[in-house]
Amino acid sequence: MTSIQEEIAAALEELSEKKLITEAVLAKKIRERLRYKAKQKAGLAFRDIEEAVFFLEENKKLHYALHLNSANDILLKQEDKAGALDAEARKRRLSSEKSISILTSGDVKAALSNKATGSKPYKKRTEKKSLNPNKDYEDWE
């Protein structure tokens, strides 16, 4: 398992008293655990969540069924048996991940090494150029 998958599994264990967990709550819990200030609106990759859920089912006997709402957000319900998404919902979620910000293993490593800086500061233009309309006609007579 990758470092982000381990963090997802640990966060799911902490949130195990809840019957329904949204992707946003799970991502927030991971950022709190890591004390990570960047990517406040970032979600989680479906494959990472799926891998963490299967790990918890095999090793910790926690069973989560994956669901997808109309906004393509992942919902995790605690049930008697783990369940995966159907093919159409899975395809829909994977295609929507191309346009959202996602927490990755690199973010986890950066947070653990205290190199998480957040977004880059706004950099001002160093030189402001102005147009001189008479430049080409100064020697014209």
Side-chain angles (χ1 to χ4, degrees):
M1 279 184 31
T2 63
S3 56
I4 188 68
Q5 292 169 352
E6 291 171 358
E7 288 298 324
I8 292 170
L12 281 172
E13 282 186 75
E14 286 184 24
L15 295 169
S16 63
E17 69 274 356
K18 293 186 175 187
K19 295 293 181 191
L20 178 68
I21 303 168
T22 64
E23 173 187 6
V25 169
L26 186 58
K28 182 179 178 183
K29 186 66 169 178
I30 291 170
R31 284 191 300 272
E32 286 175 2
R33 287 174 43 82
L34 296 173
R35 294 181 188 92
Y36 189 59
K37 302 290 185 223
K39 290 190 176 182
Q40 290 297 318
K41 302 282 184 181
L44 299 167
F46 171 72
R47 291 186 177 118
D48 291 336
I49 293 174
E50 190 176 44
E51 196 66 35
V53 165
F54 290 143
F55 172 79
L56 286 175
E57 183 179 25
E58 290 176 7
N59 299 321
K60 306 288 183 177
K61 304 302 181 216
L62 287 172
H63 306 287
Y64 289 98
L66 298 173
H67 299 281
L68 201 64
N69 67 9
S70 61
N72 292 334
D73 294 330
I74 297 172
L75 304 173
L76 295 106
K77 287 185 181 178
Q78 235 184 37
E79 294 185 1
D80 296 334
K81 186 178 180 185
L85 291 177
D86 61 334
E88 187 248 321
R90 181 184 177 93
K91 182 179 175 184
R92 204 174 73 214
R93 169 60 190 205
L94 291 175
S95 67
S96 74
E97 281 184 8
K98 294 174 186 172
S99 63
I100 62 175
S101 177
I102 293 180
L103 286 173
T104 62
S105 293
D107 296 326
V108 172
K109 290 175 187 170
L112 293 175
S113 66
N114 294 326
K115 292 183 181 176
T117 58
S119 61
K120 294 180 182 176
Y122 176 71
K123 186 176 181 181
K124 292 184 178 180
R125 187 184 289 176
T126 56
E127 179 183 338
K128 187 171 184 179
K129 296 183 179 184
S130 61
L131 295 175
N132 184 0
N134 296 324
K135 178 182 174 190
D136 296 332
Y137 304 109
E138 287 178 352
D139 59 351
W140 185 75
E141 281 191 35

